[in-house]
Amino acid sequence: MDDLSQLFHRAAEVAAAHRASLPDRPVGAAVTADQLVAELGEPLRTAPMPATQVLEELTRGFARGLVATPGPRFFGFVIGGALPAASAADLVAVAWDQCAFNAVLSPAAAAAERIAAGWLLDVLGLPPGSSVGFVTGAQGANTAALAAARHHVLAQVGWDVERDGLVGAPRVRLVASTERHATIDRSLRLLGFGTAAVEQVQATANGAIDVADLERVLGRQAPGPTIVCLQSGNVNTGACDDLTAGCAVARRHGAWVHVDGAFGLWAAASPTTAHLTAGVEQADSWSCDAHKWLNVPYDCGFAICSRPQVHAAALSYSAAYLTGQGGPTPALGDLVMESSRRARGFAVWAALRELGRDGVADLVDRCCTLARRCADGLEAGGAEVVNDVVLNQVLIGFGDDARTDRVVEAVQREGTCWLGGTTWRGRRLMRVSVSNWSTTAQDIDQSVAAILRVAGQVA
Ligand SMILES: *Cc1c(COP(=O)(O)O)cnc(C)c1O
């Protein structure tokens, strides 16, 4: 074997050994970032180092700071997992090192994104022919999609925002629920709207938008350039906005509807949960993550728009040396904010190929069933389940705020599983997200037992 083959074999070995260790190792990291920096931080060496030695130093040095996020008992945030075929595809994609800017640079990357995009729209129940930008995640997707929305609502009143910016532009109304994800606000900041521009709509007890209040807020002013942000999958409760009613109200007021469906959009893939996203195809743009519920490795998400030309008008650019841009079909780089980027389509293609339509539905169903099992187990053990468990998210209280925080911390330290805390309706709570293909009923039972045992020891 030549040196490069040997090196890549060694890297694959490290990858395989790490994955194999996930079910049995403590979920949390053994050291803090500061400890690692103290151990490993040193001035940049002057002399070069052989690649094999670099790989050994890297893996040996940083391993203790790894968190078992792709493992079966990591329930923090909404993290997802990393499917075998998708992980292998990403390893190969790194070796291929394609720049997914346009089809001239990589026909393979362009084809993979186009094919995966078609499958994605199909499985999510979105209009065929919608444009899909392969972005870093839902944050990037929200920004890209809201840029398309900004273009469209201003073009409709004769304003070219790409050329003339927002100074002196007609005012755009931004309407979103109090329960919108924080990334919406960052996108609005970056797009020049500012967060104060958001007209807030009340949410229901479980965190979905109150459609009657949406109607009231929209009705405060005569129709004009308006963007309504709806949500599939509240990051705390899993609640999904009523998209049929929400889109109907927004339409009546001439608004562009954007749906932030980072993980909740996947509910459409299963007959059991599809009712939660009914009406989703009536929106104008959507954001969705591949690295959460589809279990593609980080980082990967989708900015989706029902009008490809609007999408491209908001984001594309040209330069004298570029070929492959322009034409009736937007190029890959016309749908995202990056110019050069890695080819994310291969891993998405691989994940959807590996799972098939039934496999995606089963992944969603299994996670929801296991979330319910977790809620039931904790409730039976005396904990308080606070949310209506409609999807894969569970909120749990262990008495007052301070005690709940202590339980969360103690569970993280104990290591059987990892989950985080959150604030919901003014209360500190433990938050469980089940979104990993490899989580089993036994993982849930083992985690519930550990949480209850630890809670029993916390005053
Ligand atoms: C996670 C999440 C986001 C942000 O997604 P990233 O992939 O972290 O950029 C946005 N909205 C919702 C509802 C989310 O759950």
Side-chain angles (χ1 to χ4, degrees):
M1 267 195 290
D2 62 26
D3 287 352
L4 192 61
S5 290
Q6 229 161 20
L7 180 70
F8 279 14
H9 275 95
R10 179 64 193 132
E13 225 170 61
V14 169
H18 177 66
R19 286 299 171 85
S21 77
L22 290 178
D24 303 315
R25 51 156 281 177
V27 179
V31 291
T32 65
D34 286 345
Q35 284 169 320
L36 279 182
V37 171
E39 269 177 44
L40 307 172
E42 56 176 83
L44 177 64
R45 289 158 45 112
T46 309
M49 180 185 284
T52 47
Q53 191 187 338
V54 173
L55 181 63
E56 292 313 316
E57 284 198 1
L58 175 82
T59 53
R60 213 169 343 100
F62 290 97
R64 289 182 311 129
L66 296 175
V67 177
T69 39
R73 292 185 306 281
F74 187 91
F75 305 115
F77 308 90
V78 185
I79 280 294
L83 285 162
S87 303
D90 254 353
L91 289 174
V92 171
V94 165
W96 282 346
D97 190 26
Q98 300 293 284
C99 177
F101 180 62
N102 62 32
V104 173
L105 269 167
S106 179
E113 287 195 7
R114 217 187 300 163
I115 295 167
W119 292 349
L120 182 73
L121 297 174
D122 180 21
V123 83
L124 294 178
L126 299 179
S130 298
S131 46
V132 181
F134 284 61
V135 292
T136 50
Q139 171 77 75
N142 282 333
T143 307
L146 289 170
R150 184 182 68 165
H151 168 89
H152 184 74
V153 299
L154 284 171
Q156 279 193 312
V157 292
W159 187 266
D160 183 342
V161 69
E162 283 71 36
R163 192 189 60 199
D164 299 326
L166 280 176
V167 176
R171 205 174 71 83
V172 176
R173 296 186 70 193
L174 291 150
V175 179
S177 131
T178 53
E179 282 298 323
R180 68 189 176 279
H181 194 268
T183 51
I184 292 283
D185 290 62
R186 179 152 68 172
S187 296
L188 296 177
R189 271 160 45 193
L190 293 171
L191 289 166
F193 289 122
T195 51
V198 178
E199 298 179 56
Q200 312 245 18
V201 177
Q202 293 310 304
T204 65
N206 207 41
I209 200 166
D210 178 339
V211 178
D213 197 49
L214 175 64
E215 174 98 69
R216 189 187 63 77
V217 170
L218 283 169
R220 285 201 297 234
Q221 288 180 33
T226 305
I227 299 168
V228 170
C229 294
L230 299 179
Q231 177 169 261
S232 259
N234 180 297
V235 80
N236 280 314
T237 65
C240 295
D241 292 355
D242 181 341
L243 299 179
T244 304
C247 288
V249 169
R251 278 273 171 280
R252 269 206 303 284
H253 291 268
W256 175 288
V257 180
H258 172 68
V259 179
D260 177 2
F263 64 98
L265 227 52
W266 293 101
S270 160
T272 318
T273 48
H275 64 278
L276 294 169
T277 61
V280 69
E281 73 287 349
Q282 287 158 40
D284 300 283
S285 62
W286 305 265
S287 49
C288 188
D289 268 321
H291 55 220
K292 287 181 180 172
W293 223 345
L294 184 59
N295 283 215
V296 165
Y298 279 78
D299 51 35
C300 188
F302 314 109
I304 310 170
C305 186
S306 66
R307 297 175 183 82
Q309 295 305 330
V310 168
H311 194 160
L315 295 172
S316 66
Y317 75 95
S318 197
Y321 64 91
L322 294 176
T323 53
Q325 307 302 105
T329 313
L332 315 185
D334 293 337
L335 305 173
V336 299
M337 290 161 297
E338 298 82 12
S339 294
S340 307
R341 71 187 161 91
R342 70 194 186 90
R344 299 193 174 96
F346 297 126
V348 176
W349 183 94
L352 291 170
R353 191 82 170 160
E354 181 174 22
L355 292 173
R357 187 190 299 281
D358 289 350
V360 180
D362 181 60
L363 173 59
V364 170
D365 284 344
R366 211 152 16 93
C367 288
C368 293
T369 303
L370 292 176
R372 183 73 258 169
R373 185 184 184 97
C374 179
D376 291 345
L378 289 172
E379 209 159 36
E384 179 194 359
V385 172
V386 173
N387 66 317
D388 183 9
V389 182
V390 292
L391 206 62
N392 61 326
Q393 305 288 111
V394 188
L395 297 179
I396 308 118
F398 293 89
D400 64 26
D401 287 2
R403 178 159 190 273
T404 297
D405 277 339
R406 283 199 299 276
V407 172
V408 168
E409 230 174 87
V411 169
Q412 289 174 356
R413 238 180 302 118
E414 193 267 348
T416 300
C417 60
W418 200 101
L419 27 72
T422 189
T423 301
W424 169 251
R425 303 289 191 233
R427 269 185 82 181
R428 291 296 297 162
L429 297 168
M430 174 187 279
R431 184 172 73 145
V432 173
S433 175
V434 186
S435 47
N436 187 310
W437 68 277
S438 65
T439 303
T440 63
Q442 201 210 317
D443 287 311
I444 294 295
D445 295 348
Q446 190 184 338
S447 301
V448 165
I451 293 167
L452 293 173
R453 192 172 57 243
V454 167
Q457 292 158 1
V458 171

